[in-house]
């Protein structure tokens, strides 16, 4: 069953706006939460990642917010640009499975000019 | 030029045939992974390997087999027992399995069963 639930499935944002994608998990053994960006026909690439000992991590226009008690985390893309149009996957991993990634189903983001 | 290579990019198979997808990395990574991607399903783990000559089943291992005879190589065989093999297959690697870190993905192989 899907261990990481991601929403929304698709998102349309105007250029300059904020894109927000949410994820939730149940397995408290997860201790690493990355976000991946994937362009059509390509493999995913790591965007940003967080560990549960911090509540927020920011890298440029991308921020992860992490709520350990609620078992939720989200990706915020500030000042969204058309080049950000891609599919975004949240994921989680734990030591018991060799840190293999459990992915959400993905969010297709379209940033309009 | 370091990275992960997968070949071929596109692969066509007739029903009942086994087919092997190649994955090679020159990043000196210990861990390697195979994922399957279907539209709207995210990526699902097929197999992973923490070290040479060792591998574990993931969530959807039925109908697939792997080997890890060399650190650099982790080929995936899609057997005729896999009921619905048409998908995008992604190989990944990471430095270590003792601590979570970045997984680097290859460009993928799109397999179509005719």
């Amino acid at each position: 069953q899907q261990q990481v639930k991601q929403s929304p499935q698709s998102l349309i944002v105007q250029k300059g706006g904020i894109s927000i994608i949410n994820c939730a998990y149940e397995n408290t053994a997860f201790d690493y939460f990355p976000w991946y960006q994937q362009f059509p026909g390509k493999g995913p690439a790591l965007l940003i990642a967080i560990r549960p000992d911090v509540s927020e991590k920011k890298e440029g226009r991308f921020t992860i917010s992490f709520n350990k008690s609620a078992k939720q985390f989200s990706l915020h893309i500030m000042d969204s640009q058309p080049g950000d149009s891609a599919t975004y996957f949240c994921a989680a991993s734990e030591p018991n499975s060799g840190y293999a990634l459990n992915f959400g189903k993905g969010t297709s983001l379209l940033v309009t000019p | 030029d370091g990275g992960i290579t997968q070949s071929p990019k596109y692969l066509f198979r007739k029903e009942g045939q086994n087919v092997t997808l190649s994955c090679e990395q020159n990043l000196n990574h210990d861990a390697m992974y195979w994922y399957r991607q279907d539209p709207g399903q995210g990526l699902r783990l097929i197999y992973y390997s923490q070290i040479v000559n060792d591998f574990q089943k993931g969530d959807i291992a039925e109908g697939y087999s792997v080997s890890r005879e060399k650190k650099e190589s982790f080929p995936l065989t899609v057997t005729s027992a896999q009921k619905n093999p048409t998908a995008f297959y992604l190989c990944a690697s990471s430095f270590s399995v003792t601590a979570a870190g970045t997984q680097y993905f290859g460009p993928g192989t799109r397999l179509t069963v005719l």
Side-chain angles (χ1 to χ4, degrees):
Chain A
Q1 68 280 17
Q2 200 86 22
Q3 294 199 56
V4 179
K5 291 181 171 27
Q6 182 172 349
S7 63
Q9 186 175 359
S10 62
L11 184 60
I12 300 174
V13 173
Q14 281 195 328
K15 180 182 175 181
I18 302 174
S19 304
I20 302 174
I21 304 171
N22 300 299
C23 286
Y25 65 97
E26 288 298 325
N27 185 353
T28 54
F30 288 147
D31 65 356
Y32 181 67
F33 301 88
W35 285 88
Y36 280 80
Q37 178 189 57
Q38 185 180 30
F39 293 104
K42 306 293 185 184
L46 179 69
L47 195 60
I48 187 172
I50 198 168
R51 296 181 190 274
D53 53 343
V54 297
S55 60
E56 185 175 281
K57 184 174 182 180
K58 184 176 181 179
E59 289 183 2
R61 297 185 293 108
F62 300 92
T63 300
I64 299 179
S65 296
F66 187 82
N67 186 331
K68 188 174 181 179
S69 60
K71 291 184 281 187
Q72 295 176 348
F73 58 110
S74 60
L75 177 69
H76 292 64
I77 306 174
M78 312 300 287
D79 187 26
S80 299
Q81 299 296 312
D84 296 331
S85 298
T87 300
Y88 293 81
F89 293 96
C90 62
S93 66
E94 49 131 338
N96 294 333
S97 60
Y99 286 102
L101 292 167
N102 294 272
F103 283 89
K105 290 189 176 184
T107 296
S108 177
L109 171 65
L110 176 64
V111 181
T112 59
Chain B
D1 209 16
I4 300 179
T5 57
Q6 290 185 244
S7 61
K9 187 173 177 66
Y10 298 96
L11 189 57
F12 298 89
R13 185 195 98 175
K14 293 182 180 179
E15 281 194 36
Q17 287 181 338
N18 291 356
V19 63
T20 298
L21 282 59
S22 169
C23 177
E24 303 277 334
Q25 55 99 356
N26 61 4
L27 299 168
N28 199 32
H29 285 172
D30 284 333
M32 297 188 74
Y33 310 83
W34 273 105
Y35 296 90
R36 168 181 170 142
Q37 185 172 23
D38 297 282
Q41 293 297 317
L43 285 77
R44 293 178 290 169
L45 180 68
I46 304 172
Y47 269 96
Y48 66 99
S49 169
Q50 303 181 22
I51 199 168
V52 174
N53 292 322
D54 182 65
F55 47 83
Q56 283 77 41
K57 293 181 179 180
D59 300 323
I60 56 166
E62 184 176 350
Y64 300 97
S65 66
V66 294
S67 63
R68 185 87 186 277
E69 297 176 0
K70 298 186 301 181
K71 186 175 184 177
E72 306 78 31
S73 179
F74 191 40
L76 173 74
T77 297
V78 184
T79 74
S80 56
Q82 169 51 233
K83 299 303 180 190
N84 185 19
T86 294
F88 190 47
Y89 290 88
L90 288 156
C91 178
S93 71
S94 66
F95 181 71
S96 169
V97 293
T98 59
T102 304
Q103 283 192 23
Y104 295 88
F105 282 82
T109 292
R110 187 166 298 280
L111 172 64
T112 303
V113 174
L114 303 173

